[in-house]
Amino acid sequence: FLLPLATRLKKKIPNAKIVYDRHEVWEKFYAKIFNGARIAEKLAQRNIDGVVTISDEYLESCKVFFPDSIITAVPNFPEISDYSDEKISQKIKMFEDDSKIYLVYFGALGFERDTDLLLRIGSQVLHRYPNAFFFIGGKMSDSDLQEKIMILSQAFPERFNYLGYVPRENVLEITQNSHIGFLFIKPDTHYWVKCSPNKIFEYLACGVIPILRADCESASELASCSLIFDRETPDEEIINEVMELVGQKHRMKTMMRKAFELHNKYTFNNVKSRYLQLYQKIYNN
Protein backbone atom coordinates (compact mmCIF):
# COMPACT_ATOMS: atom_id res chain seq x y z
CA PHE A 1 0.00 0.00 0.00
CA LEU A 2 3.00 2.28 -0.39
CA LEU A 3 2.33 2.16 -4.14
CA PRO A 4 -0.09 5.15 -4.14
CA LEU A 5 2.54 7.21 -2.31
CA ALA A 6 5.23 6.15 -4.79
CA THR A 7 2.96 7.19 -7.66
CA ARG A 8 2.41 10.63 -6.12
CA LEU A 9 6.15 11.07 -5.64
CA LYS A 10 6.78 10.18 -9.26
CA LYS A 11 4.37 12.88 -10.41
CA LYS A 12 6.42 15.43 -8.45
CA ILE A 13 9.76 13.98 -9.62
CA PRO A 14 9.19 12.72 -13.19
CA ASN A 15 12.66 11.16 -13.50
CA ALA A 16 12.20 9.07 -10.35
CA LYS A 17 12.12 5.28 -10.71
CA ILE A 18 9.83 2.99 -8.74
CA VAL A 19 10.93 -0.54 -7.85
CA TYR A 20 8.13 -2.60 -6.33
CA ASP A 21 9.40 -5.44 -4.12
CA ARG A 22 6.39 -7.71 -4.44
CA HIS A 23 7.24 -10.56 -2.07
CA GLU A 24 3.67 -11.75 -1.83
CA VAL A 25 1.62 -13.68 -4.35
CA TRP A 26 -1.56 -11.80 -5.19
CA GLU A 27 -2.47 -13.98 -8.16
CA LYS A 28 -5.24 -15.54 -6.09
CA PHE A 29 -7.22 -12.88 -4.32
CA TYR A 30 -10.60 -14.44 -3.65
CA ALA A 31 -10.76 -13.16 -0.09
CA LYS A 32 -11.55 -9.47 0.35
CA ILE A 33 -8.24 -8.79 2.05
CA PHE A 34 -6.42 -9.36 -1.25
CA ASN A 35 -8.59 -7.05 -3.33
CA GLY A 36 -7.05 -3.90 -1.91
CA ALA A 37 -3.57 -5.06 -2.87
CA ARG A 38 -4.54 -5.79 -6.48
CA ILE A 39 -6.42 -2.49 -6.79
CA ALA A 40 -3.32 -0.63 -5.60
CA GLU A 41 -1.21 -2.54 -8.11
CA LYS A 42 -3.60 -1.78 -10.97
CA LEU A 43 -3.66 1.92 -10.18
CA ALA A 44 0.13 2.13 -9.98
CA GLN A 45 1.18 -0.34 -12.69
CA ARG A 46 2.00 2.24 -15.37
CA ASN A 47 4.35 4.05 -13.00
CA ILE A 48 6.29 1.00 -11.82
CA ASP A 49 9.68 0.61 -13.51
CA GLY A 50 10.81 -2.61 -11.86
CA VAL A 51 9.16 -5.49 -10.00
CA VAL A 52 10.82 -8.04 -7.73
CA THR A 53 8.81 -11.22 -7.24
CA ILE A 54 9.42 -14.07 -4.83
CA SER A 55 10.17 -16.86 -7.30
CA ASP A 56 10.81 -17.69 -10.94
CA GLU A 57 7.43 -19.41 -10.75
CA TYR A 58 5.72 -15.99 -10.86
CA LEU A 59 7.72 -14.16 -13.52
CA GLU A 60 5.13 -14.75 -16.23
CA SER A 61 2.12 -13.75 -14.13
CA CYS A 62 3.93 -10.60 -12.99
CA LYS A 63 4.59 -9.71 -16.60
CA VAL A 64 0.84 -9.87 -17.23
CA PHE A 65 0.16 -7.52 -14.32
CA PHE A 66 3.08 -5.18 -15.08
CA PRO A 67 3.67 -5.34 -18.87
CA ASP A 68 5.79 -2.16 -18.92
CA SER A 69 8.06 -3.12 -16.02
CA ILE A 70 11.40 -4.89 -15.84
CA ILE A 71 10.87 -7.96 -13.67
CA THR A 72 13.18 -10.24 -11.72
CA ALA A 73 12.84 -12.91 -9.03
CA VAL A 74 14.76 -12.80 -5.74
CA PRO A 75 13.75 -15.71 -3.46
CA ASN A 76 13.52 -15.26 0.30
CA PHE A 77 16.87 -16.87 1.07
CA PRO A 78 18.61 -16.03 4.38
CA GLU A 79 21.83 -14.09 4.84
CA ILE A 80 24.12 -16.83 6.18
CA SER A 81 26.35 -14.35 8.02
CA ASP A 82 23.48 -14.12 10.56
CA TYR A 83 24.19 -17.69 11.70
CA SER A 84 27.05 -19.49 13.42
CA ASP A 85 28.09 -22.54 11.39
CA GLU A 86 30.27 -23.73 14.26
CA LYS A 87 27.45 -23.54 16.79
CA ILE A 88 25.00 -25.33 14.48
CA SER A 89 27.49 -28.06 13.55
CA GLN A 90 28.19 -28.66 17.23
CA LYS A 91 24.47 -28.88 17.99
CA ILE A 92 24.06 -31.63 15.40
CA LYS A 93 27.22 -33.46 16.45
CA MET A 94 26.21 -33.54 20.13
CA PHE A 95 22.60 -34.65 19.51
CA GLU A 96 22.12 -38.06 21.17
CA ASP A 97 19.33 -40.29 22.49
CA ASP A 98 19.18 -38.45 25.81
CA SER A 99 19.33 -34.94 24.30
CA LYS A 100 16.62 -32.38 24.85
CA ILE A 101 14.44 -31.69 21.80
CA TYR A 102 13.54 -28.11 20.89
CA LEU A 103 10.62 -27.52 18.55
CA VAL A 104 10.05 -24.02 17.21
CA TYR A 105 7.79 -21.75 15.21
CA PHE A 106 8.05 -17.98 14.84
CA GLY A 107 5.72 -16.11 12.53
CA ALA A 108 2.08 -15.38 11.79
CA LEU A 109 -0.38 -17.07 14.15
CA GLY A 110 -3.55 -16.35 12.24
CA PHE A 111 -4.83 -15.70 8.75
CA GLU A 112 -3.73 -18.65 6.56
CA ARG A 113 -1.43 -20.34 9.14
CA ASP A 114 -2.75 -23.48 10.83
CA THR A 115 -1.86 -22.58 14.40
CA ASP A 116 -4.47 -24.98 15.78
CA LEU A 117 -2.67 -27.98 14.27
CA LEU A 118 0.64 -26.61 15.52
CA LEU A 119 -0.70 -26.47 19.10
CA ARG A 120 -2.19 -29.96 18.86
CA ILE A 121 1.22 -31.30 17.90
CA GLY A 122 2.87 -29.30 20.66
CA SER A 123 0.46 -30.73 23.23
CA GLN A 124 0.95 -34.35 22.19
CA VAL A 125 4.73 -34.09 21.90
CA LEU A 126 5.02 -32.50 25.35
CA HIS A 127 2.74 -35.13 26.89
CA ARG A 128 4.67 -38.06 25.43
CA TYR A 129 8.28 -36.82 25.53
CA PRO A 130 9.43 -35.27 28.83
CA ASN A 131 12.66 -34.03 27.23
CA ALA A 132 10.79 -31.97 24.59
CA PHE A 133 10.46 -28.17 24.69
CA PHE A 134 8.21 -26.06 22.47
CA PHE A 135 8.82 -22.42 21.48
CA ILE A 136 6.24 -20.36 19.62
CA GLY A 137 6.35 -16.65 18.88
CA GLY A 138 4.24 -14.12 17.02
CA LYS A 139 1.38 -11.71 17.48
CA MET A 140 -2.05 -13.16 18.08
CA SER A 141 -5.57 -11.77 18.43
CA ASP A 142 -7.72 -14.92 18.16
CA SER A 143 -9.34 -15.55 21.57
CA ASP A 144 -9.68 -19.32 20.98
CA LEU A 145 -5.95 -19.64 20.24
CA GLN A 146 -5.14 -17.49 23.26
CA GLU A 147 -7.09 -19.86 25.47
CA LYS A 148 -5.36 -22.95 24.02
CA ILE A 149 -1.96 -21.34 24.50
CA MET A 150 -2.82 -20.43 28.08
CA ILE A 151 -3.86 -24.05 28.79
CA LEU A 152 -0.58 -25.40 27.39
CA SER A 153 1.44 -22.80 29.30
CA GLN A 154 -0.22 -23.88 32.54
CA ALA A 155 0.13 -27.59 31.80
CA PHE A 156 3.82 -27.31 30.85
CA PRO A 157 5.11 -24.13 32.51
CA GLU A 158 8.76 -25.01 31.97
CA ARG A 159 8.49 -26.62 28.54
CA PHE A 160 5.84 -24.73 26.55
CA ASN A 161 7.00 -21.21 25.80
CA TYR A 162 4.75 -18.67 24.11
CA LEU A 163 6.97 -15.63 23.61
CA GLY A 164 4.67 -13.17 21.82
CA TYR A 165 6.55 -10.71 19.65
CA VAL A 166 10.22 -11.75 19.47
CA PRO A 167 13.09 -9.48 18.28
CA ARG A 168 15.00 -10.79 15.28
CA GLU A 169 18.19 -11.51 17.24
CA ASN A 170 16.23 -13.71 19.68
CA VAL A 171 14.56 -15.57 16.81
CA LEU A 172 18.00 -16.36 15.39
CA GLU A 173 19.36 -17.54 18.73
CA ILE A 174 16.43 -19.83 19.56
CA THR A 175 16.15 -21.25 16.03
CA GLN A 176 19.87 -22.09 15.90
CA ASN A 177 19.42 -24.11 19.10
CA SER A 178 16.32 -25.94 17.83
CA HIS A 179 15.89 -29.29 16.11
CA ILE A 180 12.44 -29.20 14.48
CA GLY A 181 10.63 -26.25 12.91
CA PHE A 182 7.12 -25.90 11.48
CA LEU A 183 5.25 -24.19 8.66
CA PHE A 184 1.58 -25.14 8.32
CA ILE A 185 -0.78 -23.51 5.83
CA LYS A 186 -4.49 -24.13 6.38
CA PRO A 187 -5.73 -26.53 3.71
CA ASP A 188 -9.01 -24.64 3.30
CA THR A 189 -7.45 -21.20 2.80
CA HIS A 190 -7.87 -19.32 -0.49
CA TYR A 191 -4.20 -18.44 -0.17
CA TRP A 192 -2.90 -21.91 -1.00
CA VAL A 193 -0.26 -20.97 -3.57
CA LYS A 194 3.16 -22.17 -4.67
CA CYS A 195 5.44 -20.56 -2.09
CA SER A 196 9.10 -20.00 -1.33
CA PRO A 197 8.95 -18.92 2.32
CA ASN A 198 12.02 -17.60 4.10
CA LYS A 199 11.09 -19.66 7.17
CA ILE A 200 11.97 -22.92 5.40
CA PHE A 201 15.39 -21.74 4.28
CA GLU A 202 16.13 -20.33 7.71
CA TYR A 203 15.47 -23.79 9.13
CA LEU A 204 18.00 -25.26 6.70
CA ALA A 205 20.60 -22.64 7.63
CA CYS A 206 20.10 -23.54 11.30
CA GLY A 207 20.24 -27.32 10.84
CA VAL A 208 16.56 -27.59 11.77
CA ILE A 209 14.22 -30.24 10.31
CA PRO A 210 11.34 -28.52 8.45
CA ILE A 211 7.86 -29.95 9.06
CA LEU A 212 5.66 -28.49 6.31
CA ARG A 213 2.12 -28.53 5.06
CA ALA A 214 2.39 -26.14 2.15
CA ASP A 215 2.86 -26.04 -1.61
CA CYS A 216 6.63 -25.56 -1.48
CA GLU A 217 8.54 -24.76 -4.63
CA SER A 218 11.63 -26.77 -3.62
CA ALA A 219 9.81 -29.81 -2.23
CA SER A 220 11.83 -32.39 -4.16
CA GLU A 221 15.14 -30.97 -2.89
CA LEU A 222 13.79 -30.74 0.67
CA ALA A 223 12.41 -34.28 0.76
CA SER A 224 15.54 -35.88 2.25
CA CYS A 225 15.60 -33.62 5.31
CA SER A 226 11.94 -32.69 5.85
CA LEU A 227 8.46 -34.00 6.47
CA ILE A 228 6.29 -32.47 3.72
CA PHE A 229 2.52 -32.86 3.62
CA ASP A 230 0.08 -31.74 0.98
CA ARG A 231 -3.28 -30.04 1.17
CA GLU A 232 -5.21 -33.31 1.39
CA THR A 233 -3.17 -34.92 4.18
CA PRO A 234 -5.37 -35.52 7.27
CA ASP A 235 -4.30 -33.78 10.47
CA GLU A 236 -4.01 -37.10 12.33
CA GLU A 237 -1.56 -38.44 9.77
CA ILE A 238 0.61 -35.33 10.17
CA ILE A 239 0.51 -35.61 13.97
CA ASN A 240 1.38 -39.31 13.93
CA GLU A 241 4.37 -38.82 11.61
CA VAL A 242 5.72 -35.97 13.73
CA MET A 243 5.32 -38.04 16.89
CA GLU A 244 7.14 -40.92 15.25
CA LEU A 245 10.01 -38.69 14.13
CA VAL A 246 10.49 -37.18 17.58
CA GLY A 247 10.90 -40.69 18.95
CA GLN A 248 13.66 -41.54 16.45
CA LYS A 249 16.75 -39.60 17.52
CA HIS A 250 19.10 -41.22 15.00
CA ARG A 251 16.74 -40.32 12.15
CA MET A 252 16.44 -36.78 13.48
CA LYS A 253 20.21 -36.38 13.60
CA THR A 254 20.56 -37.59 10.01
CA MET A 255 17.86 -35.19 8.80
CA MET A 256 19.38 -32.24 10.66
CA ARG A 257 22.73 -32.94 9.06
CA LYS A 258 21.16 -33.17 5.59
CA ALA A 259 19.26 -29.91 6.16
CA PHE A 260 22.45 -28.12 7.14
CA GLU A 261 24.33 -29.56 4.15
CA LEU A 262 21.59 -28.33 1.83
CA HIS A 263 21.42 -24.78 3.12
CA ASN A 264 24.32 -23.44 1.04
CA LYS A 265 22.17 -23.83 -2.05
CA TYR A 266 19.61 -21.41 -0.62
CA THR A 267 21.49 -18.32 0.55
CA PHE A 268 20.91 -14.66 -0.23
CA ASN A 269 24.48 -14.45 -1.48
CA ASN A 270 23.46 -16.66 -4.41
CA VAL A 271 20.70 -14.31 -5.60
CA LYS A 272 21.49 -10.80 -4.34
CA SER A 273 23.17 -9.80 -7.62
CA ARG A 274 19.73 -9.92 -9.25
CA TYR A 275 18.86 -6.67 -7.46
CA LEU A 276 21.87 -4.92 -8.93
CA GLN A 277 21.10 -6.31 -12.39
CA LEU A 278 17.55 -4.99 -12.12
CA TYR A 279 18.72 -1.50 -11.10
CA GLN A 280 21.21 -1.45 -13.96
CA LYS A 281 18.54 -2.35 -16.50
CA ILE A 282 16.23 0.35 -15.18
CA TYR A 283 19.05 2.91 -15.26
CA ASN A 284 20.02 1.95 -18.81
CA ASN A 285 16.41 2.34 -19.93
Side-chain angles (χ1 to χ4, degrees), residues 33-52:
I33 191 169
F34 297 133
N35 290 341
R38 282 297 296 127
I39 290 170
E41 290 183 338
K42 288 179 180 179
L43 292 175
Q45 66 183 22
R46 293 184 180 276
N47 295 298
I48 296 174
D49 301 280
V51 178
V52 183

Side-chain angles (χ1 to χ4, degrees), residues 18-85:
I18 296 177
V19 175
Y20 174 34
D21 212 332
R22 188 185 189 252
H23 270 76
E24 282 289 352
V25 179
W26 305 118
E27 277 69 351
K28 294 187 178 182
F29 53 101
Y30 304 108
K32 291 182 180 179
I33 191 169
F34 297 133
N35 290 341
R38 282 297 296 127
I39 290 170
E41 290 183 338
K42 288 179 180 179
L43 292 175
Q45 66 183 22
R46 293 184 180 276
N47 295 298
I48 296 174
D49 301 280
V51 178
V52 183
T53 186
I54 193 172
S55 155
D56 291 338
E57 179 88 14
Y58 295 105
L59 289 173
E60 290 187 13
S61 58
C62 276
K63 194 63 181 175
V64 173
F65 294 148
F66 307 98
D68 302 320
S69 304
I70 299 170
I71 300 172
T72 191
V74 183
N76 276 332
F77 297 161
E79 175 58 70
I80 55 174
S81 62
D82 290 341
Y83 310 95
S84 169
D85 282 5

Side-chain angles (χ1 to χ4, degrees), residues 11-218:
K11 289 179 179 178
K12 290 179 177 288
I13 313 170
N15 290 331
K17 304 296 182 184
I18 296 177
V19 175
Y20 174 34
D21 212 332
R22 188 185 189 252
H23 270 76
E24 282 289 352
V25 179
W26 305 118
E27 277 69 351
K28 294 187 178 182
F29 53 101
Y30 304 108
K32 291 182 180 179
I33 191 169
F34 297 133
N35 290 341
R38 282 297 296 127
I39 290 170
E41 290 183 338
K42 288 179 180 179
L43 292 175
Q45 66 183 22
R46 293 184 180 276
N47 295 298
I48 296 174
D49 301 280
V51 178
V52 183
T53 186
I54 193 172
S55 155
D56 291 338
E57 179 88 14
Y58 295 105
L59 289 173
E60 290 187 13
S61 58
C62 276
K63 194 63 181 175
V64 173
F65 294 148
F66 307 98
D68 302 320
S69 304
I70 299 170
I71 300 172
T72 191
V74 183
N76 276 332
F77 297 161
E79 175 58 70
I80 55 174
S81 62
D82 290 341
Y83 310 95
S84 169
D85 282 5
E86 181 180 352
K87 184 176 182 179
I88 296 164
S89 297
Q90 189 70 7
K91 172 190 72 176
I92 298 171
K93 181 181 178 181
M94 300 301 292
F95 189 72
E96 301 295 344
D97 286 346
D98 59 349
S99 296
K100 294 178 179 179
I101 305 169
Y102 295 97
L103 304 96
V104 65
Y105 173 75
F106 293 109
L109 296 177
F111 190 34
E112 83 283 1
R113 302 300 170 93
D114 197 342
T115 311
D116 188 67
L117 175 59
L118 181 68
L119 295 178
R120 288 175 64 193
I121 288 175
S123 175
Q124 294 201 31
V125 168
L126 294 173
H127 271 102
R128 184 180 298 181
Y129 299 104
N131 62 339
F133 296 76
F134 207 94
F135 295 85
I136 182 170
K139 294 182 179 180
M140 179 181 51
S141 57
D142 187 300
S143 58
D144 288 339
L145 288 178
Q146 288 175 344
E147 183 176 354
K148 291 174 182 178
I149 283 176
M150 182 180 67
I151 291 171
L152 283 172
S153 298
Q154 292 173 346
F156 306 99
E158 302 297 326
R159 299 194 291 127
F160 180 84
N161 302 274
Y162 171 61
L163 306 175
Y165 171 77
V166 184
R168 175 66 179 159
E169 57 269 22
N170 296 80
V171 172
L172 294 176
E173 181 182 0
I174 294 171
T175 306
Q176 285 185 118
N177 288 325
S178 296
H179 307 96
I180 290 176
F182 298 92
L183 176 67
F184 291 150
I185 305 297
K186 291 179 179 178
D188 58 349
T189 180
H190 292 303
Y191 196 63
W192 184 277
V193 296
K194 183 75 72 175
C195 59
S196 180
N198 59 336
K199 186 60 58 183
I200 293 174
F201 305 114
E202 183 167 85
Y203 289 152
L204 299 183
C206 292
V208 170
I209 302 168
I211 310 294
L212 316 170
R213 177 159 69 181
D215 186 7
C216 297
E217 187 180 47
S218 305

